[in-house]
Amino acid sequence: MTITLGALLRDQRKGQGLSIAEISHDITSPSSVSRFERGQTELSATKFMQLMRRAAGRLDWPQFELEYSDPQILRTICIGPMY
C-alpha cells in the first residue's frame, strides 16, 4: 500500500469540505497544490505543514502516528515505494 503526502493532504482537505483554492490561499498557488496531490511535484516541508494545518484545522499527530505507525507504510510515505 502506497500513501503519498499529496494523497494524505487531499484526504484531509476533502474531509473538511475545502477546495484547493481555500487551503492554498497565501501559502502557494492552487496549481502547485493540485500537482502535489497528484504526485506531479514536491512542496517544502514548511508549505506542506501549513497546508495540512489549514486542511485539517489541526493535525492530530497522536492519531496520525497510530494510523501510520507501521514501518513499511512510514517508509513508503517518506521515500516512496521500493522497487
Side-chain angles (χ1 to χ4, degrees), residues 2-10 13 20 30-43 48 76-77 79-81 83:
T2 300
I3 301 169
T4 66
L5 294 176
L8 181 63
L9 175 63
R10 182 182 57 240
R13 176 181 63 76
I20 289 175
S31 63
S32 291
V33 173
S34 177
R35 289 191 321 263
F36 178 71
E37 287 184 352
R38 290 180 280 137
Q40 297 176 343
T41 193
E42 296 179 359
L43 291 175
F48 172 72
T76 301
I77 289 171
I79 62 172
Y83 294 104

Side-chain angles (χ1 to χ4, degrees), residues 35-67:
R35 289 191 321 263
F36 178 71
E37 287 184 352
R38 290 180 280 137
Q40 297 176 343
T41 193
E42 296 179 359
L43 291 175
S44 70
T46 301
K47 286 184 180 181
F48 172 72
M49 291 307 299
Q50 290 172 325
L51 291 166
M52 282 298 290
R53 282 188 195 102
R54 189 171 288 168
R58 179 181 69 84
L59 184 58
D60 187 353
W61 281 111
Q63 183 63 34
F64 178 85
E65 290 172 2
L66 287 174
E67 289 178 14

